[in-house]
Amino acid sequence: MKSAGFTYHRPSTVDGALALLAEHGDEAKILAGGQSLLPMMGLRLARPTHLVDINGLDADLDFIAAGPDGLRIGALVRHANAEHHPAVAEHGPMIAAALPLVGHRPIRTRGTVVGSIAHGDPAAEMPAVCVATDATLVARSAAGTRELPAATFFEGYLGTGLRDDELLAEVRFPAWAPTSGGAVVEIARRHGDYALVGLACRVDVLDGIIDDAALVFLGVGGTPVRVTAAEDSLRGQAPSEALFAEAGRIVSTTLDAGSDLHASAAYRRHIAGVLTNQGLAEATSRIGVTA
Ligand code: FAD
């Protein structure tokens, strides 16, 4: 199919892009990598009348920066560039673990990390990683800049806290502690497909005891889904196979998962429990802790 007609804009400054968004509001869409937007336009599931192409704004938006405060990834960083960047490997191990699972290489070569977050697909890896790592989303508009916590950013299926006049300029991940282990595990029909169920998992272990844990599932509901009861069961405990199995049991009995033509809710809950065990074992082994 062909997309509906639209006016194409290619601003040469960020301020120019923000002015276009302010002028056209909900009739405008930002074009980043186009890996989700263009298929949706082709199917007429999206019909923006103004397309604001930000691909000319590399000088301001194509950056990866690491420092004592953490890791920053700008709006024009492609998945593939982040995947192979030494700063991401060193300061964002969960991001590095998630990126090879995002679609196929040609998609990662064009699609952007921040575009994936702005799109807010609940089956995508990066939104779940943002929630599991307590990332901050930096939104810019002609009216100013807002910092939005990932914990509340994803509001529903393809729905986020971004306003129509805002550009998601960057994502900031807090500094990764050496006591933190992370893993991203998932089940997909074929490598590169969206996951039927996935888990972004972070465990902080201090002196042999789990100090904090995040278990954030993708592909199970309208947003990334955190299972706090299972996280609570881990805190204050020494890592062990029995502890991880119990966390998996809690997940598979309490997770609010949906059914669709790809998988039933019961299947998703079962797989989520299995992934909990696997994710916790992987995350702890990455910091030299054996359960
Ligand atoms: P675009 O397609 O350009 O934009 C997507 C949406 O986000 C649009 O509404 C756009 O207006 C908005 N947007 C983009 N950037 C910004 C910004 N900076 N500020 C505000 N709004 C913005 N993704 C996964 O995570 N996992 C997968 O397994 C996966 N499999 C895929 C398989 C296929 C066959 C395809 C085609 C895509 C797949 N994707 C997958 C999607 C891919 O990762 C996209 O790159 C990503 O979803 C969107 O990034 P983009 O830069 O292409 O955004």
Side-chain angles (χ1 to χ4, degrees), residues 61-89:
L61 300 177
D62 188 3
F63 65 86
I64 294 178
D69 292 340
L71 182 69
R72 298 167 54 211
I73 297 182
L76 275 179
V77 174
R78 315 287 164 181
H79 297 295
N81 290 346
E83 186 181 347
H84 300 293
H85 200 285
V88 174

mmCIF file of all heavy atoms in Angstrom, residues 61-89:
data_model
loop_
_atom_site.group_PDB
_atom_site.id
_atom_site.type_symbol
_atom_site.label_atom_id
_atom_site.label_comp_id
_atom_site.label_asym_id
_atom_site.label_seq_id
_atom_site.Cartn_x
_atom_site.Cartn_y
_atom_site.Cartn_z
ATOM 1 N N LEU A 61 22.267 15.618 17.541
ATOM 2 C CA LEU A 61 21.512 14.481 18.090
ATOM 3 C C LEU A 61 22.205 13.131 17.927
ATOM 4 O O LEU A 61 21.704 12.129 18.428
ATOM 5 C CB LEU A 61 20.120 14.418 17.426
ATOM 6 C CG LEU A 61 19.233 15.661 17.618
ATOM 7 C CD1 LEU A 61 17.918 15.489 16.857
ATOM 8 C CD2 LEU A 61 18.952 15.904 19.095
ATOM 9 N N ASP A 62 23.341 13.088 17.218
ATOM 10 C CA ASP A 62 24.024 11.804 17.027
ATOM 11 C C ASP A 62 25.234 11.739 17.954
ATOM 12 O O ASP A 62 26.355 12.039 17.542
ATOM 13 C CB ASP A 62 24.437 11.642 15.560
ATOM 14 C CG ASP A 62 24.969 10.227 15.279
ATOM 15 O OD1 ASP A 62 24.954 9.396 16.220
ATOM 16 O OD2 ASP A 62 25.383 9.956 14.144
ATOM 17 N N PHE A 63 24.995 11.378 19.214
ATOM 18 C CA PHE A 63 26.120 11.302 20.163
ATOM 19 C C PHE A 63 25.880 10.190 21.177
ATOM 20 O O PHE A 63 24.744 9.863 21.510
ATOM 21 C CB PHE A 63 26.294 12.644 20.905
ATOM 22 C CG PHE A 63 25.123 12.992 21.787
ATOM 23 C CD1 PHE A 63 25.036 12.528 23.091
ATOM 24 C CD2 PHE A 63 24.077 13.778 21.299
ATOM 25 C CE1 PHE A 63 23.951 12.843 23.905
ATOM 26 C CE2 PHE A 63 22.979 14.087 22.099
ATOM 27 C CZ PHE A 63 22.917 13.616 23.395
ATOM 28 N N ILE A 64 26.999 9.613 21.621
ATOM 29 C CA ILE A 64 26.994 8.693 22.762
ATOM 30 C C ILE A 64 28.044 9.249 23.713
ATOM 31 O O ILE A 64 29.196 9.462 23.308
ATOM 32 C CB ILE A 64 27.367 7.258 22.334
ATOM 33 C CG1 ILE A 64 26.285 6.691 21.407
ATOM 34 C CG2 ILE A 64 27.547 6.365 23.551
ATOM 35 C CD1 ILE A 64 26.576 5.290 20.875
ATOM 36 N N ALA A 65 27.636 9.550 24.946
ATOM 37 C CA ALA A 65 28.567 10.160 25.895
ATOM 38 C C ALA A 65 28.495 9.422 27.227
ATOM 39 O O ALA A 65 27.396 9.180 27.739
ATOM 40 C CB ALA A 65 28.223 11.634 26.091
ATOM 41 N N ALA A 66 29.647 9.069 27.772
ATOM 42 C CA ALA A 66 29.679 8.396 29.069
ATOM 43 C C ALA A 66 30.467 9.237 30.044
ATOM 44 O O ALA A 66 31.465 9.856 29.676
ATOM 45 C CB ALA A 66 30.318 7.024 28.930
ATOM 46 N N GLY A 67 30.006 9.316 31.302
ATOM 47 C CA GLY A 67 30.703 10.070 32.343
ATOM 48 C C GLY A 67 30.300 9.538 33.695
ATOM 49 O O GLY A 67 29.585 8.535 33.783
ATOM 50 N N PRO A 68 30.732 10.227 34.770
ATOM 51 C CA PRO A 68 30.422 9.743 36.115
ATOM 52 C C PRO A 68 28.917 9.663 36.379
ATOM 53 O O PRO A 68 28.458 8.854 37.192
ATOM 54 C CB PRO A 68 31.055 10.801 37.035
ATOM 55 C CG PRO A 68 31.893 11.673 36.172
ATOM 56 C CD PRO A 68 31.549 11.435 34.741
ATOM 57 N N ASP A 69 28.131 10.488 35.670
ATOM 58 C CA ASP A 69 26.675 10.463 35.898
ATOM 59 C C ASP A 69 25.977 9.367 35.110
ATOM 60 O O ASP A 69 24.775 9.164 35.276
ATOM 61 C CB ASP A 69 26.053 11.810 35.505
ATOM 62 C CG ASP A 69 26.503 12.911 36.458
ATOM 63 O OD1 ASP A 69 26.940 12.556 37.579
ATOM 64 O OD2 ASP A 69 26.435 14.086 36.075
ATOM 65 N N GLY A 70 26.689 8.723 34.194
ATOM 66 C CA GLY A 70 26.052 7.651 33.428
ATOM 67 C C GLY A 70 26.274 7.792 31.937
ATOM 68 O O GLY A 70 27.222 8.430 31.484
ATOM 69 N N LEU A 71 25.355 7.208 31.179
ATOM 70 C CA LEU A 71 25.487 7.110 29.728
ATOM 71 C C LEU A 71 24.355 7.885 29.070
ATOM 72 O O LEU A 71 23.195 7.734 29.461
ATOM 73 C CB LEU A 71 25.397 5.627 29.353
ATOM 74 C CG LEU A 71 25.549 5.232 27.899
ATOM 75 C CD1 LEU A 71 26.994 5.454 27.439
ATOM 76 C CD2 LEU A 71 25.175 3.753 27.723
ATOM 77 N N ARG A 72 24.707 8.705 28.063
ATOM 78 C CA ARG A 72 23.688 9.464 27.321
ATOM 79 C C ARG A 72 23.707 9.009 25.863
ATOM 80 O O ARG A 72 24.780 8.888 25.272
ATOM 81 C CB ARG A 72 23.975 10.961 27.397
ATOM 82 C CG ARG A 72 23.946 11.524 28.806
ATOM 83 C CD ARG A 72 24.542 12.935 28.839
ATOM 84 N NE ARG A 72 23.900 13.811 27.883
ATOM 85 C CZ ARG A 72 24.505 14.837 27.252
ATOM 86 N NH1 ARG A 72 25.773 15.112 27.496
ATOM 87 N NH2 ARG A 72 23.847 15.577 26.385
ATOM 88 N N ILE A 73 22.535 8.792 25.308
ATOM 89 C CA ILE A 73 22.427 8.390 23.894
ATOM 90 C C ILE A 73 21.470 9.357 23.208
ATOM 91 O O ILE A 73 20.308 9.521 23.620
ATOM 92 C CB ILE A 73 21.923 6.931 23.770
ATOM 93 C CG1 ILE A 73 22.929 5.970 24.413
ATOM 94 C CG2 ILE A 73 21.680 6.563 22.305
ATOM 95 C CD1 ILE A 73 22.581 4.498 24.309
ATOM 96 N N GLY A 74 21.965 10.025 22.164
ATOM 97 C CA GLY A 74 21.173 11.032 21.463
ATOM 98 C C GLY A 74 20.192 10.429 20.467
ATOM 99 O O GLY A 74 20.306 9.256 20.075
ATOM 100 N N ALA A 75 19.259 11.259 20.025
ATOM 101 C CA ALA A 75 18.106 10.801 19.243
ATOM 102 C C ALA A 75 18.473 10.214 17.889
ATOM 103 O O ALA A 75 17.666 9.506 17.299
ATOM 104 C CB ALA A 75 17.122 11.951 19.049
ATOM 105 N N LEU A 76 19.662 10.502 17.370
ATOM 106 C CA LEU A 76 19.982 9.974 16.034
ATOM 107 C C LEU A 76 20.988 8.821 16.058
ATOM 108 O O LEU A 76 21.531 8.452 15.010
ATOM 109 C CB LEU A 76 20.470 11.093 15.111
ATOM 110 C CG LEU A 76 19.328 11.858 14.421
ATOM 111 C CD1 LEU A 76 19.877 12.972 13.544
ATOM 112 C CD2 LEU A 76 18.450 10.929 13.588
ATOM 113 N N VAL A 77 21.201 8.246 17.239
ATOM 114 C CA VAL A 77 22.107 7.082 17.313
ATOM 115 C C VAL A 77 21.345 5.843 16.846
ATOM 116 O O VAL A 77 20.292 5.509 17.393
ATOM 117 C CB VAL A 77 22.625 6.885 18.755
ATOM 118 C CG1 VAL A 77 23.434 5.595 18.858
ATOM 119 C CG2 VAL A 77 23.454 8.082 19.183
ATOM 120 N N ARG A 78 21.880 5.195 15.805
ATOM 121 C CA ARG A 78 21.242 3.978 15.279
ATOM 122 C C ARG A 78 21.520 2.814 16.233
ATOM 123 O O ARG A 78 22.581 2.768 16.874
ATOM 124 C CB ARG A 78 21.812 3.623 13.891
ATOM 125 C CG ARG A 78 21.953 4.783 12.945
ATOM 126 C CD ARG A 78 20.648 5.291 12.405
ATOM 127 N NE ARG A 78 20.815 6.624 11.810
ATOM 128 C CZ ARG A 78 19.831 7.333 11.279
ATOM 129 N NH1 ARG A 78 18.600 6.870 11.268
ATOM 130 N NH2 ARG A 78 20.053 8.520 10.775
ATOM 131 N N HIS A 79 20.596 1.862 16.265
ATOM 132 C CA HIS A 79 20.803 0.673 17.109
ATOM 133 C C HIS A 79 22.190 0.075 16.843
ATOM 134 O O HIS A 79 22.916 -0.281 17.776
ATOM 135 C CB HIS A 79 19.775 -0.415 16.779
ATOM 136 C CG HIS A 79 18.353 -0.041 17.040
ATOM 137 N ND1 HIS A 79 17.856 0.216 18.296
ATOM 138 C CD2 HIS A 79 17.303 0.087 16.199
ATOM 139 C CE1 HIS A 79 16.567 0.476 18.211
ATOM 140 N NE2 HIS A 79 16.200 0.420 16.948
ATOM 141 N N ALA A 80 22.555 -0.066 15.565
ATOM 142 C CA ALA A 80 23.802 -0.763 15.214
ATOM 143 C C ALA A 80 25.028 -0.001 15.713
ATOM 144 O O ALA A 80 26.027 -0.619 16.093
ATOM 145 C CB ALA A 80 23.886 -0.961 13.702
ATOM 146 N N ASN A 81 24.968 1.333 15.712
ATOM 147 C CA ASN A 81 26.106 2.106 16.202
ATOM 148 C C ASN A 81 26.258 1.949 17.716
ATOM 149 O O ASN A 81 27.371 1.820 18.230
ATOM 150 C CB ASN A 81 25.970 3.581 15.834
ATOM 151 C CG ASN A 81 26.137 3.794 14.339
ATOM 152 O OD1 ASN A 81 26.605 2.898 13.646
ATOM 153 N ND2 ASN A 81 25.735 4.947 13.840
ATOM 154 N N ALA A 82 25.135 1.952 18.433
ATOM 155 C CA ALA A 82 25.199 1.752 19.887
ATOM 156 C C ALA A 82 25.685 0.338 20.205
ATOM 157 O O ALA A 82 26.480 0.130 21.132
ATOM 158 C CB ALA A 82 23.823 1.998 20.504
ATOM 159 N N GLU A 83 25.216 -0.623 19.408
ATOM 160 C CA GLU A 83 25.550 -2.043 19.651
ATOM 161 C C GLU A 83 27.063 -2.263 19.640
ATOM 162 O O GLU A 83 27.584 -3.088 20.380
ATOM 163 C CB GLU A 83 24.886 -2.854 18.525
ATOM 164 C CG GLU A 83 24.972 -4.341 18.640
ATOM 165 C CD GLU A 83 24.272 -5.005 17.430
ATOM 166 O OE1 GLU A 83 23.541 -4.329 16.677
ATOM 167 O OE2 GLU A 83 24.478 -6.206 17.253
ATOM 168 N N HIS A 84 27.772 -1.513 18.795
ATOM 169 C CA HIS A 84 29.208 -1.738 18.641
ATOM 170 C C HIS A 84 30.050 -0.649 19.297
ATOM 171 O O HIS A 84 31.251 -0.552 19.039
ATOM 172 C CB HIS A 84 29.549 -1.857 17.153
ATOM 173 C CG HIS A 84 28.824 -2.998 16.497
ATOM 174 N ND1 HIS A 84 29.081 -4.312 16.816
ATOM 175 C CD2 HIS A 84 27.822 -3.019 15.586
ATOM 176 C CE1 HIS A 84 28.272 -5.103 16.122
ATOM 177 N NE2 HIS A 84 27.504 -4.344 15.369
ATOM 178 N N HIS A 85 29.422 0.187 20.140
ATOM 179 C CA HIS A 85 30.154 1.305 20.734
ATOM 180 C C HIS A 85 30.797 0.875 22.060
ATOM 181 O O HIS A 85 30.116 0.339 22.941
ATOM 182 C CB HIS A 85 29.198 2.475 20.971
ATOM 183 C CG HIS A 85 29.898 3.781 21.122
ATOM 184 N ND1 HIS A 85 30.574 4.125 22.264
ATOM 185 C CD2 HIS A 85 30.037 4.810 20.267
ATOM 186 C CE1 HIS A 85 31.106 5.327 22.105
ATOM 187 N NE2 HIS A 85 30.788 5.770 20.902
ATOM 188 N N PRO A 86 32.122 1.128 22.229
ATOM 189 C CA PRO A 86 32.781 0.669 23.464
ATOM 190 C C PRO A 86 32.182 1.282 24.728
ATOM 191 O O PRO A 86 32.126 0.619 25.773
ATOM 192 C CB PRO A 86 34.240 1.111 23.272
ATOM 193 C CG PRO A 86 34.286 1.955 22.044
ATOM 194 C CD PRO A 86 33.043 1.728 21.260
ATOM 195 N N ALA A 87 31.704 2.528 24.663
ATOM 196 C CA ALA A 87 31.132 3.155 25.867
ATOM 197 C C ALA A 87 29.842 2.451 26.285
ATOM 198 O O ALA A 87 29.531 2.352 27.479
ATOM 199 C CB ALA A 87 30.857 4.640 25.608
ATOM 200 N N VAL A 88 29.088 1.944 25.310
ATOM 201 C CA VAL A 88 27.847 1.234 25.646
ATOM 202 C C VAL A 88 28.203 -0.114 26.280
ATOM 203 O O VAL A 88 27.616 -0.512 27.290
ATOM 204 C CB VAL A 88 26.961 1.054 24.385
ATOM 205 C CG1 VAL A 88 25.739 0.202 24.702
ATOM 206 C CG2 VAL A 88 26.540 2.423 23.845
ATOM 207 N N ALA A 89 29.201 -0.794 25.712
ATOM 208 C CA ALA A 89 29.622 -2.078 26.285
ATOM 209 C C ALA A 89 30.087 -1.890 27.732
ATOM 210 O O ALA A 89 29.772 -2.689 28.611
ATOM 211 C CB ALA A 89 30.740 -2.677 25.442
#
